Amino acid sequence: MSGILLLDKPLGLSSNQVLQKIKKIFCVNKVGYVGTLDPLATGILPILFGEGTKFSKYLENSIKSYSVIIKLGQTTSTYDSEGIVLEKKKINFTDFEFYKFLNAFKGCINQLPPIYSAVKYKGIQLYKYARKNIIIPRSLRTVYIYKLDCVQRYGNLIELDIMCSKGTYIRTLVHDLGQMLKCGAHVIFLRRLQISLYNINNTITLTKLYQCSQLYFRLKDYNIFSNLLIPLKTIFFALPEVQFFSSIIFKKKNKICFISHKRPGIIRITIKTQKNMFVIGHIGNLGQLIACKILNIE
């Protein structure tokens, strides 16, 4: 069984805990998820089955959107409501200062991963060191914030809409904003609404999956599960497309003599005469198109 399941991750479970439940429901081993969500977070979590696990990197690099509620006036150890309150400060900033600092986070920024995170140091996650009060050096990572809008403010709570690149820590962004506002801030609500072209409106809950599982064992109808999966080829629909009418030109390690006006980067090459065949390639700095991988997937 190969395909993608768009799960609405519930509150309180880690992404790995959810994955183990999926394995039991579907009775499969070759399965993985894309885009880790903390236990505090909910929202869209793509689960890749079978051959789909080979293409996870194309989703991991995708743009993601979040709805976030932050609490002002408190700094916590984990940068969210699950941590210990380390500091409390009065909230004393103007609307002008707030929007000035909020806008400062848009575009290309550098972040330090939280000490309570799954980033590894010498093969061990940072949060395991943090629990033992061991201070580990962390490296800055460059991320891109495409959108950072204030939806509304009520008292010491602010709701934000965020669209960002791979590797962005929303908790760090909120913590850093709180430091700039000189009052502290942490995340109390985080929901992922979109990853690549996949939207929260197309997800299924764990509760619904359990219901489907019970139905499957009663009816022994394999389609009950397979109908929940969307095609693997949709992973690549967000990539820029170049069309050809024939696949004859594609050979192993073949550099195609073709100059494209598209921007350099990864692309999807589709073949007009073969619906299930397409090629993953990239466009070089001089506009040359290079075929990298030929795929035949539904």
Side-chain angles (χ1 to χ4, degrees):
M1 181 164 57
S2 292
I4 310 164
L5 177 77
L6 300 180
L7 183 74
D8 187 348
K9 190 192 88 65
L11 182 70
L13 294 178
S14 70
S15 296
N16 189 58
Q17 287 173 325
V18 168
L19 186 66
Q20 300 313 311
K21 293 180 182 294
I22 294 293
K23 286 182 177 180
K24 290 181 180 179
I25 292 173
F26 283 82
C27 300
V28 294
N29 289 317
K30 196 174 181 181
V31 61
Y33 64 83
V34 176
T36 303
L37 287 174
D38 295 327
L40 175 76
T42 65
I44 186 167
L45 183 70
I47 309 292
L48 305 181
F49 288 78
E51 292 297 299
T53 55
K54 298 179 181 179
F55 310 126
S56 61
K57 64 180 181 180
Y58 295 103
L59 272 184
E60 287 171 351
N61 293 327
S62 300
I63 295 173
K64 303 171 180 68
S65 295
Y66 298 88
S67 174
V68 188
I69 297 178
I70 72 174
K71 185 175 183 179
L72 301 168
Q74 293 181 350
T75 301
T76 72
S77 57
T78 58
Y79 301 171
D80 61 25
S81 56
E82 294 190 330
I84 300 169
V85 177
L86 301 177
E87 193 175 27
K88 293 183 179 180
K89 288 186 177 181
K90 290 184 178 181
I91 303 167
N92 186 24
F93 56 82
T94 65
D95 286 345
F96 175 80
E97 290 174 321
F98 172 71
Y99 285 103
K100 174 187 173 183
F101 292 136
L102 195 68
N103 289 329
F105 285 96
K106 295 179 181 179
C108 192
I109 63 170
N110 291 321
Q111 284 191 327
L112 268 181
I115 55 172
Y116 283 91
S117 67
V119 174
K120 291 183 178 180
Y121 177 78
K122 293 185 177 181
I124 300 174
Q125 292 93 338
L126 288 181
Y127 67 81
K128 292 183 179 180
Y129 291 106
R131 288 172 181 170
K132 296 179 181 179
N133 294 319
I134 300 174
I135 299 174
I136 296 297
R138 292 165 288 161
S139 300
L140 283 171
R141 57 170 64 186
T142 301
V143 298
Y144 200 93
I145 309 300
Y146 297 92
K147 178 183 178 183
L148 180 56
D149 293 339
C150 176
V151 178
Q152 56 181 327
R153 178 182 176 184
Y154 26 97
N156 63 342
L157 303 181
I158 293 177
E159 182 180 354
L160 301 173
D161 270 351
I162 302 175
M163 182 182 292
C164 57
S165 69
K166 169 194 174 183
T168 303
Y169 275 97
I170 304 298
R171 287 180 291 141
T172 296
L173 191 155
V174 168
H175 171 79
D176 291 347
L177 176 62
Q179 295 302 300
M180 293 182 76
L181 293 171
K182 298 180 180 180
C183 65
H186 65 274
V187 174
I188 63 170
F189 172 88
L190 178 62
R191 183 162 177 77
R192 185 157 65 199
L193 304 177
Q194 189 163 349
I195 176 169
S196 186
L197 299 180
Y198 305 128
N199 191 280
I200 190 67
N201 296 327
N202 303 119
T203 56
I204 187 170
T205 63
L206 267 180
T207 301
K208 183 66 176 178
L209 282 181
Y210 280 119
Q211 293 173 353
C212 291
S213 177
Q214 293 171 354
L215 188 61
Y216 166 77
F217 285 112
R218 283 206 309 269
L219 303 178
K220 302 298 180 183
D221 184 357
Y222 178 78
N223 289 328
I224 291 174
F225 278 155
S226 61
N227 288 341
L228 297 175
L229 306 185
I230 60 178
L232 290 179
K233 62 184 178 183
T234 60
I235 292 175
F236 305 98
F237 284 0
L239 296 175
E241 181 185 28
V242 173
Q243 287 191 346
F244 283 95
F245 287 91
S246 172
S247 61
I248 297 175
I249 60 173
F250 297 117
K251 297 177 182 178
K252 287 185 178 179
K253 299 180 181 178
N254 185 32
K255 291 188 178 181
I256 304 168
C257 295
F258 174 81
I259 302 299
S260 172
H261 296 294
K262 293 184 180 294
R263 294 174 60 185
I266 299 174
I267 59 162
R268 167 174 53 107
I269 306 168
T270 56
I271 316 301
K272 276 283 189 178
T273 56
Q274 293 173 271
K275 287 185 178 181
N276 294 333
M277 177 182 175
F278 61 96
V279 181
I280 299 302
H282 72 269
I283 296 174
N285 292 329
L286 299 178
Q288 73 276 26
L289 190 152
I290 303 170
C292 301
K293 186 188 292 286
I294 299 176
L295 302 174
N296 278 284
I297 57 175
E298 294 291 336

